[in-house]
Structures are given as structure tokens and as C-alpha cells.
Amino acid sequence: MGFCNSCGKPIGKKDYGTNEDGSPNMDYCIECFENGEFTEPDITLNEMIVRKSKEMMAKNPNLRETEATGITTGFLPNLKRWYKEPDYENEDLM
Ligand SMILES: [Zn+2]
């Protein structure tokens, strides 16, 4: 079992997203990726962090917002959808 590289949700076989040809996409869950496209192409990393923090707090009433946000901000930015390679070309120009 893997996890979604967009929202971080653990995904089992049935939850995989789908490619354009209908084959399963192992990187993303069906909620995030369907028929070769992101279901919410315009969502930002920040919006995803806020959404996931709220979901975590809903599931764990004892979890404080700072704790939930701490977990999501430490985790989500490293996922494939959000991770950005350092831009060395720009660094050279500085
Ligand atoms: Zn997802």
C-alpha cells in the first residue's frame, strides 16, 4: 500500500487514481486524480495543508490546530505533486 502524492492519504488498490486510458495511477488517489487529470488542478499547497489539517482535527478532537498544521506542513510539501526541485539556474544569476 502506498499513499497519495497529492493529499497524503494512504491508498489501497481500490483507491488509486486513474490514467486517461483507465489504468490505475499509483501516485495519486482517486479523489485527487481521475482520467489522467487532477480533480482540482487549481488547488494550492497551502489550501491542501489547511484542508488536511481540518480533516485531521475532525478525526482527532484532541488534536490542536498547531499540531495538525505542524504535521501537514512537514509532510505535504515533500509529496511529488508539490515538491519543487531547487532552481539552480536562478541561483546562478544572483
Ligand atoms: Zn489524494
Side-chain angles (χ1 to χ4, degrees), residues 15-23 25 28-40:
D15 304 318
Y16 283 124
T18 50
N19 295 314
E20 224 172 326
D21 61 5
S23 63
N25 184 295
Y28 303 109
C29 75
I30 190 68
E31 279 167 39
C32 292
F33 199 79
E34 201 173 8
N35 299 323
E37 289 174 354
F38 284 115
T39 55
E40 294 174 284

Side-chain angles (χ1 to χ4, degrees), residues 4-9 11 28-33 48 52:
C4 175
N5 273 278
S6 166
C7 68
K9 188 175 84 148
I11 34 180
Y28 303 109
C29 75
I30 190 68
E31 279 167 39
C32 292
F33 199 79
M48 187 64 90
K52 286 290 138 186

Side-chain angles (χ1 to χ4, degrees):
M1 191 167 86
F3 57 87
C4 175
N5 273 278
S6 166
C7 68
K9 188 175 84 148
I11 34 180
K13 263 186 193 162
K14 286 179 198 158
D15 304 318
Y16 283 124
T18 50
N19 295 314
E20 224 172 326
D21 61 5
S23 63
N25 184 295
M26 305 296 181
D27 284 335
Y28 303 109
C29 75
I30 190 68
E31 279 167 39
C32 292
F33 199 79
E34 201 173 8
N35 299 323
E37 289 174 354
F38 284 115
T39 55
E40 294 174 284
D42 296 328
I43 191 170
T44 64
L45 174 57
N46 251 342
E47 286 166 345
M48 187 64 90
I49 285 172
V50 170
R51 178 188 300 181
K52 286 290 138 186
S53 303
K54 281 184 181 154
E55 276 180 25
M56 282 175 67
M57 286 187 288
K59 280 184 201 156
N60 308 286
N62 295 323
L63 193 70
R64 276 174 292 171
E65 187 167 1
T66 48
E67 291 173 316
T69 312
I71 294 167
T72 48
T73 51
F75 179 53
L76 290 173
N78 294 316
L79 298 177
K80 194 187 269 187
R81 182 174 183 184
W82 312 112
Y83 183 76
K84 291 197 172 58
E85 298 283 340
D87 200 338
Y88 293 113
E89 279 182 37
N90 277 348
E91 219 167 355
D92 283 345
L93 292 172
M94 281 162 68

